Amino acid sequence: MAHDPARDSSLEVLGKVAELAAQIGLVGRLEEDTRRFFLGVDLGQGRLQGVYVRDSSHAGRPTVTVFSPGLQMEKAAFQALLPRLALDLLRANETMTLARYGLVENDRYALVMASVDHLLDSFAPADLQASVFAVAQAADRCEREFGRDDY
């Protein structure tokens, strides 16, 4: 396998995230193939939420994005909900702290994500903990609104 400096850099960043998580007792796993660090969050009342951290470094600044999938639906169904959903997400973005909603699309699906970005240099263990729970709660809130628990 050829040497991949970008992959090595991402794994180094995620290794630092794993160290931060261990310092505060968060149990996660590094997924080298997808270059993500995964944490399972128990939100109580039988609701679990998957949270990921990925390297999103930019312009030489080590940066991470903490994110959680909230709602996935086929694009046709999503298009029918778009006007109401878009306004609801924009309103929610204005009132949330440590999380924001965004949209990821491919040819078949639309996925609402909750996420937050941090510079790694100033990312403390308490920041990781707060961010993990904030995006997990935001993603779960989106799922609950549609009567789902997919992630």
Side-chain angles (χ1 to χ4, degrees), residues 28 34 38 41 69 92 99-100 102 106 110 125:
T34 59
F38 172 81
V41 178
R100 64 173 180 262
N106 64 26

mmCIF file of all heavy atoms in Angstrom, residues 28 34 38 41 69 92 99-100 102 106 110 125:
data_model
loop_
_atom_site.group_PDB
_atom_site.id
_atom_site.type_symbol
_atom_site.label_atom_id
_atom_site.label_comp_id
_atom_site.label_asym_id
_atom_site.label_seq_id
_atom_site.Cartn_x
_atom_site.Cartn_y
_atom_site.Cartn_z
ATOM 1 N N GLY A 28 -14.819 4.981 23.019
ATOM 2 C CA GLY A 28 -15.064 5.062 21.584
ATOM 3 C C GLY A 28 -14.112 4.155 20.847
ATOM 4 O O GLY A 28 -13.314 3.444 21.460
ATOM 5 N N THR A 34 -12.644 4.513 7.627
ATOM 6 C CA THR A 34 -13.461 5.693 7.302
ATOM 7 C C THR A 34 -12.879 6.972 7.890
ATOM 8 O O THR A 34 -13.466 8.044 7.721
ATOM 9 C CB THR A 34 -14.906 5.524 7.814
ATOM 10 O OG1 THR A 34 -14.879 5.323 9.230
ATOM 11 C CG2 THR A 34 -15.608 4.372 7.118
ATOM 12 N N PHE A 38 -15.641 6.902 16.586
ATOM 13 C CA PHE A 38 -17.044 6.664 16.894
ATOM 14 C C PHE A 38 -17.268 6.568 18.394
ATOM 15 O O PHE A 38 -16.487 5.932 19.110
ATOM 16 C CB PHE A 38 -17.524 5.357 16.248
ATOM 17 C CG PHE A 38 -18.910 4.961 16.681
ATOM 18 C CD1 PHE A 38 -20.018 5.532 16.085
ATOM 19 C CD2 PHE A 38 -19.096 4.041 17.696
ATOM 20 C CE1 PHE A 38 -21.305 5.189 16.489
ATOM 21 C CE2 PHE A 38 -20.369 3.680 18.105
ATOM 22 C CZ PHE A 38 -21.476 4.266 17.502
ATOM 23 N N VAL A 41 -23.696 7.015 22.361
ATOM 24 C CA VAL A 41 -24.202 7.830 23.463
ATOM 25 C C VAL A 41 -25.567 7.308 23.896
ATOM 26 O O VAL A 41 -26.485 7.196 23.082
ATOM 27 C CB VAL A 41 -24.310 9.316 23.042
ATOM 28 C CG1 VAL A 41 -24.874 10.160 24.172
ATOM 29 C CG2 VAL A 41 -22.954 9.836 22.596
ATOM 30 N N PRO A 69 -25.671 11.712 12.733
ATOM 31 C CA PRO A 69 -26.783 11.692 11.789
ATOM 32 C C PRO A 69 -28.113 11.782 12.518
ATOM 33 O O PRO A 69 -28.294 11.146 13.562
ATOM 34 C CB PRO A 69 -26.637 10.356 11.069
ATOM 35 C CG PRO A 69 -25.714 9.541 11.888
ATOM 36 C CD PRO A 69 -24.962 10.450 12.794
ATOM 37 N N ALA A 92 -34.149 26.221 14.613
ATOM 38 C CA ALA A 92 -33.421 25.459 15.635
ATOM 39 C C ALA A 92 -31.956 25.877 15.674
ATOM 40 O O ALA A 92 -31.371 26.002 16.758
ATOM 41 C CB ALA A 92 -33.553 23.963 15.368
ATOM 42 N N ALA A 99 -24.071 22.997 18.603
ATOM 43 C CA ALA A 99 -24.554 22.117 17.530
ATOM 44 C C ALA A 99 -25.257 22.975 16.486
ATOM 45 O O ALA A 99 -25.740 24.060 16.787
ATOM 46 C CB ALA A 99 -25.509 21.059 18.071
ATOM 47 N N ARG A 100 -25.275 22.452 15.281
ATOM 48 C CA ARG A 100 -26.026 23.076 14.192
ATOM 49 C C ARG A 100 -26.521 21.948 13.306
ATOM 50 O O ARG A 100 -25.973 20.845 13.317
ATOM 51 C CB ARG A 100 -25.136 24.010 13.382
ATOM 52 C CG ARG A 100 -24.026 23.222 12.682
ATOM 53 C CD ARG A 100 -23.198 24.041 11.723
ATOM 54 N NE ARG A 100 -22.191 23.199 11.127
ATOM 55 C CZ ARG A 100 -20.933 23.119 11.531
ATOM 56 N NH1 ARG A 100 -20.501 23.841 12.538
ATOM 57 N NH2 ARG A 100 -20.087 22.314 10.910
ATOM 58 N N GLY A 102 -27.285 20.546 9.471
ATOM 59 C CA GLY A 102 -26.881 20.679 8.086
ATOM 60 C C GLY A 102 -27.471 19.530 7.298
ATOM 61 O O GLY A 102 -28.103 18.627 7.851
ATOM 62 N N ASN A 106 -27.076 12.646 -1.416
ATOM 63 C CA ASN A 106 -26.515 11.925 -2.553
ATOM 64 C C ASN A 106 -27.652 11.736 -3.557
ATOM 65 O O ASN A 106 -28.715 12.340 -3.412
ATOM 66 C CB ASN A 106 -25.843 10.610 -2.125
ATOM 67 C CG ASN A 106 -26.801 9.610 -1.521
ATOM 68 O OD1 ASN A 106 -28.009 9.610 -1.803
ATOM 69 N ND2 ASN A 106 -26.278 8.734 -0.681
ATOM 70 N N ALA A 110 -31.359 12.042 1.423
ATOM 71 C CA ALA A 110 -31.001 13.281 2.103
ATOM 72 C C ALA A 110 -30.821 12.929 3.573
ATOM 73 O O ALA A 110 -31.601 12.152 4.134
ATOM 74 C CB ALA A 110 -32.091 14.326 1.933
ATOM 75 N N PRO A 125 -10.756 18.203 26.936
ATOM 76 C CA PRO A 125 -11.628 17.050 27.153
ATOM 77 C C PRO A 125 -13.074 17.442 27.474
ATOM 78 O O PRO A 125 -14.014 16.816 26.972
ATOM 79 C CB PRO A 125 -10.965 16.326 28.333
ATOM 80 C CG PRO A 125 -9.525 16.693 28.225
ATOM 81 C CD PRO A 125 -9.517 18.106 27.725
#
